[in-house]
Amino acid sequence: MISILIPVYNFDVTQLVSDLQKQANQLTIPIEILVFDDGSTADFKQKNRSIQTYPIVNYKELLHNLGRSAIRNALTKVANFPYLLFMDGDSKVVRVDYLKK
């Protein structure tokens, strides 16, 4: 039971979320991926909207930039599971068993 929390600002997170989704599909525990866009420009929002199609992803676009701390607090309040994994939007999954470990 893990909530993966990813704040994003002006960055394409589609590869990160895709990699996490693939690994989550191989696990038997409930996982959700919450991605909050913190007021990015329209082109980045457009790119990232494709992640909404993943069944375990909750993607939300904020109208105004909350800032580093506030966006993390907002993600925490929405998380459904007791274990929280914070990842920066520019992170990469470098192991095929990252979530399992």
Side-chain angles (χ1 to χ4, degrees):
M1 300 189 321
I2 301 172
S3 294
I4 301 171
L5 310 177
I6 306 171
V8 61
Y9 178 74
N10 285 342
F11 198 83
D12 181 348
V13 294
T14 55
Q15 186 63 54
L16 171 62
V17 173
S18 175
D19 292 344
L20 292 168
Q21 172 71 45
K22 288 175 189 172
Q23 288 193 19
N25 288 342
Q26 298 173 357
L27 301 176
T28 59
I29 60 170
I31 294 177
E32 68 176 348
I33 301 172
L34 305 177
V35 181
F36 282 12
D37 183 286
D38 200 13
S40 294
T41 59
D43 56 327
F44 282 106
K45 286 181 181 180
Q46 183 63 36
K47 290 176 187 176
N48 291 327
R49 285 182 185 137
S50 67
I51 65 174
Q52 296 178 93
T53 61
Y54 297 127
I56 64 169
V57 173
N58 179 355
Y59 173 72
K60 181 176 181 181
E61 295 176 355
L62 305 179
L63 297 176
H64 304 286
N65 184 281
L66 298 179
R68 187 174 295 244
S69 297
I71 191 71
R72 283 170 169 72
N73 290 335
L75 283 160
T76 301
K77 289 178 184 176
V78 177
N80 291 305
F81 300 128
Y83 298 104
L84 306 178
L85 173 60
F86 283 93
M87 297 185 75
D88 290 331
D90 62 352
S91 299
K92 292 184 180 180
V93 178
V94 295
R95 295 178 57 127
V96 295
D97 61 348
Y98 177 73
L99 289 182
K100 184 177 180 179
K101 293 279 182 190

